[in-house]
Amino acid sequence: MPLYRDFSDDKAQLLVWKYDEQEVLDMDTLLEKENYNKVKEYHPKKIKEVLMVRKMLKQIMPNHKILYRDNGEPFLEPQDFNISISHSFPLAAIGISKCKIGIDLELKKEKIKLIRHKFILHENDFIDNNREVDYLTSIWSVKEALYKIHHSKYWSLKKHYDIQSFRTTEDFTVKARVYDHNFEDYFQVKVRKIDDYYFSVVLE
């Protein structure tokens, strides 16, 4: 069974699925008809990611389906729970909660150093450059999870998402601020290291 990790608690169902070449991912069975035309042109690997998420949903909420708003944000139908999804092949993750939820799954890659300047600002003060890829990947994951519950097309991960100092371990919590000239909000983001991935979860 390719269910890889279950981090569910009393606030959210949090599942991570790992692709198995032997498993059957049937688009006709798993994919909502509303999304068929959109998904059928995806790269085969991305189609697998989409179907892995659906397979997880069918195991825990078989009477629900995932649809998308005009801005691409996923939502559940019926709309009695909130959902967030993330995938980075061969892993895919789903988060479901009565609270608004944001999750993000990021694979460590050296090339993230090339875009450091695009999403790092205050965090330069505490990043350990001996473990630069770990810090950058976890910060990117945290900011992406925050973006999923608190976003605007005018905001940037560099200028409007501020992460407080932390140390990367296998399981840690990050304090964060989302803000602009008129508003600010504070969050605690749970981060877990799964092999070479960082998995961030935030609830509003």
Side-chain angles (χ1 to χ4, degrees):
M1 179 177 174
L3 181 62
Y4 193 49
R5 299 288 177 87
D6 185 344
F7 298 113
S8 302
D9 56 24
D10 59 345
K11 294 183 179 178
Q13 290 183 289
L14 296 164
L15 303 180
V16 180
W17 194 274
K18 187 173 186 179
Y19 178 68
D20 182 342
E21 292 183 358
Q22 305 303 315
E23 76 174 301
V24 176
L25 294 171
D26 180 46
M27 185 180 293
D28 293 332
T29 302
L30 295 173
L31 188 65
E32 308 84 3
K33 66 180 186 298
E34 294 92 337
N35 296 323
Y36 187 84
N37 288 333
K38 173 183 176 180
V39 172
K40 69 179 182 179
E41 303 299 332
Y42 284 178
H43 185 281
K45 190 176 288 187
K46 188 171 182 181
I47 291 176
K48 290 184 176 72
E49 292 173 340
V50 168
L51 296 179
M52 288 157 63
V53 167
R54 269 64 182 179
K55 201 162 187 178
M56 281 187 282
L57 180 65
K58 284 190 177 296
Q59 287 197 1
I60 57 177
M61 301 180 78
N63 296 320
H64 287 66
K65 59 184 177 180
I66 300 171
L67 300 178
Y68 295 92
R69 306 189 196 284
D70 292 341
N71 63 0
E73 182 181 2
F75 67 93
L76 281 177
E77 181 62 47
Q79 298 183 51
D80 50 351
F81 284 86
N82 295 296
I83 186 172
S84 184
I85 60 180
S86 185
H87 28 70
S88 180
F89 197 81
L91 299 186
I94 188 170
I96 296 173
S97 177
K98 284 288 188 181
C99 304
K100 198 168 185 181
I101 184 170
I103 70 171
D104 189 71
L105 187 64
E106 293 292 337
L107 175 64
K108 284 173 51 180
K109 295 179 180 178
E110 287 288 324
K111 66 181 183 181
I112 196 170
K113 293 189 287 188
L114 301 176
I115 61 168
R116 174 175 177 155
H117 64 285
K118 293 185 177 181
F119 68 98
I120 296 294
L121 187 59
H122 305 294
E123 297 83 13
N124 280 311
D125 295 338
F126 66 81
I127 289 175
D128 179 354
N129 287 323
N130 293 318
R131 302 187 63 237
E132 183 180 10
V133 175
D134 284 278
Y135 273 87
L136 294 180
T137 306
S138 56
I139 290 169
W140 179 270
S141 178
V142 166
K143 291 189 176 186
E144 284 287 334
L146 286 165
Y147 181 82
K148 290 178 180 178
I149 65 168
H150 232 316
H151 60 83
S152 165
K153 65 181 180 179
Y154 303 109
W155 288 1
S156 78
L157 296 185
K158 181 175 183 175
K159 297 178 180 178
H160 301 103
Y161 299 83
D162 186 11
I163 308 301
Q164 294 186 20
S165 176
F166 67 90
R167 296 176 64 86
T168 60
T169 60
E170 295 299 306
D171 192 341
F172 57 99
T173 299
V174 172
K175 294 181 180 179
R177 178 173 66 123
V178 180
Y179 64 99
D180 64 15
H181 295 300
N182 303 310
F183 137 100
E184 64 180 355
D185 206 353
Y186 293 85
F187 297 91
Q188 292 198 35
V189 186
K190 186 73 174 177
V191 186
R192 296 177 176 88
K193 192 169 185 295
I194 309 172
D195 301 330
D196 288 329
Y197 290 81
Y198 281 96
F199 180 48
S200 297
V201 179
V202 60
L203 296 169
E204 188 172 57

